[in-house]
Amino acid sequence: MELKQLQYFMAICEELHFTRAAEKMGVSPPNISQQIRRLEEELGVLLFDRVGKKIVLTEAGTILQKHAAAMFGHLQQATDAIVDLKHMQGGSLSIGVLPGDAEFMFKAFILNFHQTYPTISLSLLETMKITEQVLDRSIDFGVTVGPVIDTRITSIPLYHEEFSLAVSKNDPLATESFIPLNKLQTLKMVMFPPDHQYRMLIDRFCMDQGFTLQPHMVTTTLSSLLQMVQSGFGSCILPKMLLDNLHHSDIKVLDLRHPTPSQDFCLIYRNDRYVGYAMRTFIKTLRAYIETAINDSKS
C-alpha cells in the first residue's frame, strides 16, 4: 500500500468521481483508476461500488477512508509541528469570516494584531462556507455563528451578539430607550440584501413574530446604511456592540425587545490540526480583543 495510492483514494472519496479526482491530483483518469485497482487487488476487496453513473464507498472503503484520514491528519500535524519548531516566533494563518464581519469586527483587530506580532502573517477571507473550508483545510480558522456540531471540529465560544435599532437623532423615536420588535413593521427601514447573514437573522426573528419586513432601501455596505440613518432616510438594525462602538453623535441606538434578535459566535478549527505558536497566539489575542470590545460597549 503506497502513500500515493492512498492520496488518490482520498481524492476519489471527496469527489466521488474518478475524472474529477484525477483532475484534482493532476493525473490522467486511467492512471488513477489503475492505482485504485492495484490497491483493491492488494487488499482483496472492492473499495467503490458503481451505481449507475455514480460511485459509492463500500464498507471496506469506508473503513479505509476513516483510517487514511487519521493517518493524513497525523502527517499534517507532524509537518505543522516541525514548521512551528523552525519558526517559533512566526507563521501564517488564514481566517474565514462571514461577509461583512471583516469590516464590522476584524478590521481593527487585524491591524492591532499585525502591529503586536509582525512576524505572524494573517489573511482574512469572507465566505459563507466557513465550516466546509475549515474541514477541507483551505482555511485554518473560522469565525462563524454557532453552534457548530461536528466531531471533526473544535469550537471555542467567542461572544453573544444582540441587535439594536439605529435611528437618526432627529427621529421622534430618539427619545425612546427601546422598542418592541413588532413595531419595526411600521418603520421606514434600510437593510442589507436578503442573503446577508444579518438580514437573514432579522427576517427569521420577524417571521417568528408573524410579520415580514419590507425595507424601503437595500444596500450592501455598512457605510451607506449609516449614512441613510444619519440623514433621516430610515432606520437600520445592526449588532449592538458595533453601534455602541461607532460613537456617532447623529445616531441614537435603541434596544429591541420582545424578543431581542441575537446569535452566538464561535471560533472553529479542525481537531486534528496542530495548534502551534501562531494559532495559540491568535486565539488568545482574539478572545482578549473581543472581551475588551464587549466591556467598552457596556461602559
Side-chain angles (χ1 to χ4, degrees), residues 134-151:
V134 166
L135 287 171
D136 69 18
R137 302 180 190 275
S138 57
I139 57 176
D140 299 310
F141 283 115
V143 177
T144 188
V145 177
V148 176
I149 310 299
D150 192 303
T151 57

Side-chain angles (χ1 to χ4, degrees), residues 203-220:
D203 284 348
R204 187 171 71 251
F205 269 80
C206 291
M207 288 179 66
D208 288 344
Q209 297 302 306
F211 67 94
T212 302
L213 289 179
Q214 301 295 333
H216 284 67
M217 181 70 73
V218 172
T219 180
T220 59

Side-chain angles (χ1 to χ4, degrees), residues 123-143:
S123 60
L124 206 60
L125 172 69
E126 290 190 329
T127 173
M128 291 295 290
K129 298 182 178 180
I130 290 177
T131 301
E132 295 91 328
Q133 291 186 254
V134 166
L135 287 171
D136 69 18
R137 302 180 190 275
S138 57
I139 57 176
D140 299 310
F141 283 115
V143 177

Side-chain angles (χ1 to χ4, degrees), residues 200-273:
M200 289 189 288
L201 174 82
I202 300 304
D203 284 348
R204 187 171 71 251
F205 269 80
C206 291
M207 288 179 66
D208 288 344
Q209 297 302 306
F211 67 94
T212 302
L213 289 179
Q214 301 295 333
H216 284 67
M217 181 70 73
V218 172
T219 180
T220 59
T221 66
L222 171 65
S223 58
S224 57
L225 271 182
L226 295 174
Q227 285 173 1
M228 283 187 276
V229 172
Q230 287 176 295
S231 67
F233 179 83
S235 307
C236 75
I237 305 167
L238 289 170
K240 178 176 174 58
M241 185 164 60
L242 166 69
L243 290 169
D244 287 344
N245 283 283
L246 286 176
H247 303 298
H248 275 307
S249 59
D250 293 334
I251 292 178
K252 175 68 185 298
V253 180
L254 309 179
D255 289 343
L256 290 170
R257 296 184 186 174
H258 313 307
T260 300
S262 64
Q263 59 189 0
D264 293 302
F265 273 82
C266 58
L267 177 72
I268 62 172
Y269 59 91
R270 283 188 65 108
N271 289 337
D272 58 5
R273 184 166 187 84

Side-chain angles (χ1 to χ4, degrees), residues 8 11-12 15 17-33:
Y8 292 162
I12 298 171
E15 300 293 336
H17 195 282
F18 275 79
T19 300
R20 289 199 298 268
E23 291 173 353
K24 183 175 183 178
M25 298 302 296
V27 297
S28 67
N31 188 335
I32 201 169
S33 296

Side-chain angles (χ1 to χ4, degrees), residues 40-101:
E40 289 176 328
E41 289 171 1
E42 180 181 345
L43 295 172
V45 293
L46 287 176
L47 299 173
F48 299 99
D49 272 336
R50 287 162 178 80
V51 181
K53 295 183 178 180
K54 298 181 179 180
I55 61 171
V56 295
L57 279 166
T58 64
E59 185 177 359
T62 301
I63 292 172
L64 181 60
Q65 181 191 33
K66 176 182 177 182
H67 289 280
M71 183 198 73
F72 283 117
H74 289 312
L75 286 175
Q76 185 62 53
Q77 286 192 60
T79 301
D80 292 343
I82 292 170
V83 170
D84 194 46
L85 183 64
K86 291 167 64 179
H87 307 285
M88 278 302 292
Q89 299 303 313
S92 61
L93 295 172
S94 56
I95 304 99
V97 299
L98 293 168
D101 281 355

